[in-house]
Amino acid sequence: MSGTSEGTGSAADSIRSATTERHPSVPVLPSVPSASHRAESELRDYRAAFNAAHLPMAVVDREGYVVTANQAFACLLGSEPHLLVHRSAADLVDLAAEARTWAAYQEVLRGRQARLRCTRRLKHPDGHSLWTEVTLGPVPGTGNVLLSVSDISDRRDLQARLRHLQMHDPVTRLPNRALFFERLSAALEASTYDHGGGTGRIGLCYLDLDGFKAVNDTLGHRVGDRLLTAVASRLTQCADQSGYGRTGGHLVARLGGDEFAVLVEDSTGTEQLADLARSVLTAVQEPFDLAGQRLSVSASIGVVERATDGTSATGLMQAADTTLYWAKADGKARWTLFDPERNAHRMTRQALSSTLRPAVERGEFALEYQPLVDLESGALRGVEALVRWRHPQFGTLTPNRFIGIAEEDGSIVQLGQWVLRTACRQARRWQIEQPSDAPVFVSVNVAVRQVWDSDLVGDVAEILAETGLAPQLLQLELTESAVMGSAGRPLQALQALSDMGVRIAIDDFGTGYSNLAYLSRLPVSVLKLDGSFVRGFRYDEGAHPNPADETIVEALVQLAHRLGLTVTAECVETAGQAARLRRVGCDTGQGWLYSRAVPPDVIAGMIGRRTKPAAQADVPAPHPPV
């Protein structure tokens, strides 16, 4: 046997040796499995991985039915893998709940869309709900789709907690400004498309605590935070007791600082909002006990209620903010309802304020002049320059529409310089054109801010030198409140102007806090009696005169004359008034009896002639000079 084995081995070795020698480059290969065996092996591996995966997965055919599902997917749904086969995948993971998601799902099944990812809330077999992220994508070469489901409940919970922190005030735990505006915008948008039982209206109470800063400054921010928390609790209680809207549609929010808002969705009208505002005001005014500190505060509330159609979140908040400002301006500790007419006036005022300063440069202003007539002779002694704004949008505006705005924003200085220069130039032109007639003086109103914010003395001196007008032909009018009690720079300016020869007049005398003893020490040369005294002189048209008015005027005239002052009566509208004013010694009169404010060429026709009173038929009802 051994010989045979050796012989056989030697023969085999010889064959291999010979073969190797003949084909030295051909290696000896081991046996290789067939391609079908490899595919079956890989398929078994894939199936094993698919079934063992912790990620819930299922293969879905083009019709949307489950071909196979792994154990994790079956456990997610409380079933067994084989029981899920031929089930609708859309039903299993709720893909048909939204039209948009359903349409995208159909596109993926048809191969027109590569991938779909959506979030779905599924019911777990043990009864609790979980948030999942469902992903669908094609399985290459099969025409099927792989569906996978990820549990994102923890991530959702974290996001929810972070959102709550982001959207809520840390002090009061109320929704903050961001959440409030999100809710407001959603309410307005939902109402636009809501054709159900909603009212189509929305309401807002915008609240601000009165004097909250004093609490922080005197008692500290810790007490201030406790107060804000207590206020938030009372506001929430008021809103909850009211129970507004189909879904309790109210939201109490802290917008910042000591500002709160109560949003009422589907409001039923202004009365509902008024009731809420009254209850909130009462609740806030009840004393607070804060860790031994007993505090009483009040609040101002702006109330807005309107149809949602055509309303924007920005517009609603602007109206609420404006109304809150009104409540504070009207005295605080109250609620105020939005008034469209009042708001229109405010908007007009803002429009005027924004365009006033450039309007001077654009030449939109003009001067008209109202005669100042000698009551004894009827001769024209002077004129008062009255500025008019030829506004391109609002038409001709009288001073009461824009002078207050100009004083507030400081443009009165620029406007006042223009008025002064234009009036002096016109007075000098009348003098040059009519040299044979006695020259008339021009009276120009001066705001107290012009004295403080500009070099009024220097401006007057420069303009008089530039125009050639004599100082005696310029009269500057200041209101009684501006002159009385003047000290420092204003008094020095008035004295310098008087020393220059300029006449100083107190306008609307008798309406302020007159200090007659102090009056004697002021560089004043003219008193202009307020029209409220002159109206008491009317006997015509069934009016009954007030004897006290005549007594007061007579006493004022006598006092002024003793102090070396002349007296002008404003708002003279009837011949009877003029006669009685003349009898008590008043020097000059001004009013519609003689003329309204008129252009310069009309005044030129009056110079040198006795001014006749206007016909009674042309005299309008009593009206203050403008």
Side-chain angles (χ1 to χ4, degrees):
M1 292 291 294
S2 61
T4 305
S5 299
E6 287 177 3
T8 305
S10 298
D13 290 342
S14 299
I15 294 171
R16 282 197 293 271
S17 176
T19 304
T20 302
E21 289 176 2
R22 288 194 299 268
H23 304 285
S25 62
V26 179
V28 179
L29 298 177
S31 60
V32 179
S34 67
S36 60
H37 286 136
R38 287 200 307 272
E40 291 178 3
S41 176
E42 290 175 358
L43 184 58
R44 284 195 299 271
D45 292 340
Y46 290 146
R47 285 175 177 171
F50 177 80
N51 290 321
H54 294 292
L55 179 67
M57 292 183 290
V59 176
V60 181
D61 64 20
R62 288 186 176 274
E63 301 302 319
Y65 296 105
V66 175
V67 175
T68 183
N70 67 359
Q71 188 63 43
F73 190 77
C75 291
L76 178 70
L77 302 177
S79 183
E80 293 295 331
H82 68 277
L83 297 178
L84 298 178
V85 176
H86 304 309
R87 294 279 302 275
S88 169
D91 293 341
L92 294 176
V93 293
D94 197 25
L95 294 178
E98 295 178 2
R100 194 178 201 180
T101 302
W102 174 254
Y105 172 58
Q106 295 298 316
E107 293 296 294
V108 172
L109 293 180
R110 297 185 180 99
R112 298 174 183 172
Q113 181 173 318
R115 185 173 296 274
L116 169 64
R117 179 175 294 170
C118 61
T119 301
R120 281 291 171 270
R121 191 175 187 180
L122 304 180
K123 193 78 170 179
H124 197 274
D126 63 8
H128 78 274
S129 297
L130 69 157
W131 286 97
T132 63
E133 184 178 76
V134 178
T135 305
L136 293 104
V139 178
T142 66
N144 294 329
V145 173
L146 179 64
L147 182 152
S148 62
V149 182
S150 301
D151 185 352
I152 60 170
S153 299
D154 291 341
R155 188 172 74 190
R156 278 292 278 219
D157 290 343
L158 177 60
Q159 289 174 344
R161 288 196 295 270
L162 292 175
R163 174 176 167 78
H164 187 275
L165 292 174
Q166 181 184 8
M167 294 295 189
H168 286 76
D169 172 49
V171 175
T172 64
R173 308 296 182 184
L174 290 177
N176 60 14
R177 176 180 289 270
L179 182 53
F180 172 81
F181 274 98
E182 182 180 286
R183 173 76 172 267
L184 174 58
S185 299
L188 292 173
E189 183 177 355
S191 181
T192 301
Y193 300 100
D194 184 6
H195 302 290
T199 64
R201 303 189 68 82
I202 196 164
L204 177 65
C205 289
Y206 188 25
L207 177 146
D208 179 274
L209 298 181
D210 300 325
F212 177 73
K213 185 177 184 299
V215 175
N216 273 341
D217 293 344
T218 57
L219 302 177
H221 288 272
R222 179 173 297 180
V223 175
D225 287 349
R226 289 175 180 169
L227 176 60
L228 292 174
T229 302
V231 169
S233 177
R234 293 188 184 180
L235 292 179
T236 303
Q237 186 177 6
C238 288
D240 289 343
Q241 289 174 348
S242 301
Y244 294 117
R246 292 168 295 170
T247 59
H250 57 271
L251 176 74
V252 181
R254 182 189 177 199
L255 302 187
D258 59 340
E259 296 178 358
F260 297 85
V262 183
L263 177 67
V264 178
E265 299 177 43
D266 286 333
S267 63
T268 58
T270 56
E271 188 58 35
Q272 184 186 32
L273 268 295
D275 289 342
L276 175 61
R278 280 190 286 264
S279 66
V280 167
L281 203 60
T282 301
V284 172
Q285 288 175 337
E286 290 291 327
F288 293 88
D289 290 317
L290 306 173
Q293 293 283 350
R294 187 172 176 84
L295 297 177
S296 294
V297 296
S298 62
S300 301
I301 306 175
V303 179
V304 182
E305 199 280 339
R306 58 178 55 172
T308 55
D309 187 24
T311 297
S312 66
T314 302
L316 188 68
M317 287 306 300
Q318 285 177 341
D321 186 62
T322 298
T323 313
L324 174 60
Y325 171 80
W326 293 343
K328 286 191 170 293
D330 292 342
K332 300 182 180 180
R334 68 192 64 216
W335 64 272
T336 300
L337 185 65
F338 180 75
D339 181 357
E341 184 175 344
R342 186 175 180 181
N343 186 61
H345 177 75
R346 180 187 68 89
M347 297 297 290
T348 301
R349 183 180 175 86
Q350 288 181 343
L352 294 179
S353 177
S354 63
T355 57
L356 198 155
R357 197 180 296 270
V360 180
E361 302 172 357
R362 291 194 297 263
E364 293 179 4
F365 291 93
L367 291 186
E368 292 182 346
Y369 302 86
Q370 189 170 33
L372 298 167
V373 178
D374 189 301
L375 288 174
E376 188 65 37
S377 66
L380 182 67
R381 296 300 184 195
V383 293
E384 180 180 354
L386 297 168
V387 63
R388 303 289 188 259
W389 186 355
R390 315 293 189 193
H391 197 281
Q393 180 180 355
F394 303 113
T396 300
L397 303 178
T398 53
N400 62 314
R401 294 288 303 277
F402 58 85
I403 289 299
I405 300 173
E407 290 178 344
E408 289 177 6
D409 66 11
S411 59
I412 189 65
V413 173
Q414 181 185 10
L415 178 60
Q417 290 172 342
W418 179 87
V419 170
L420 184 63
R421 177 173 283 102
T422 304
C424 289
R425 186 181 293 121
Q426 182 59 59
R428 178 58 177 160
R429 183 177 298 116
W430 286 324
Q431 187 180 12
I432 294 173
E433 292 175 350
Q434 297 171 261
S436 60
D437 296 318
V440 297
F441 68 87
V442 63
S443 186
V444 178
N445 291 279
V446 175
V448 68
R449 187 162 182 175
Q450 290 178 255
V451 183
W452 282 106
D453 293 359
S454 68
D455 182 9
L456 181 61
V457 177
D459 290 342
V460 169
E462 178 184 341
I463 290 172
L464 291 177
E466 174 189 321
T467 60
L469 186 69
Q472 294 76 16
L473 296 180
L474 174 62
Q475 175 175 291
L476 299 180
E477 296 186 21
L478 289 90
T479 60
E480 178 183 346
S481 58
V483 175
M484 289 300 181
S486 294
R489 184 174 180 181
L491 181 57
Q492 295 171 4
L494 295 180
Q495 188 63 59
L497 291 167
S498 179
D499 294 342
M500 192 186 301
V502 175
R503 298 153 56 98
I504 305 297
I506 298 180
D507 195 14
D508 300 328
F509 186 79
T511 59
Y513 300 96
S514 304
N515 185 331
L516 298 179
Y518 187 72
L519 178 64
S520 64
R521 296 192 293 271
L522 290 173
V524 174
S525 53
V526 180
L527 296 184
K528 296 189 72 176
L529 295 181
D530 185 70
S532 59
F533 293 108
V534 178
R535 292 191 191 96
F537 280 62
R538 292 178 63 93
Y539 282 89
D540 57 324
E541 300 175 2
H544 298 284
N546 186 348
D549 284 343
E550 189 164 339
T551 302
I552 293 173
V553 171
E554 185 175 5
L556 288 175
V557 171
Q558 290 178 359
L559 176 62
H561 287 171
R562 286 178 178 272
L563 295 175
L565 309 177
T566 60
V567 180
T568 297
E570 298 180 312
C571 298
V572 181
E573 296 169 347
T574 69
Q577 285 176 309
R580 282 180 289 279
L581 288 166
R582 183 169 59 251
R583 187 178 66 243
V584 299
C586 196
D587 301 291
T588 54
Q590 176 183 0
W592 285 355
L593 173 66
Y594 305 106
S595 174
R596 299 168 180 262
V598 293
D601 57 335
V602 178
I603 296 296
M606 297 180 182
I607 296 176
R609 291 195 295 273
R610 183 177 180 273
T611 303
K612 297 180 181 180
Q616 289 298 312
D618 297 330
V619 177
H623 193 284
V626 290

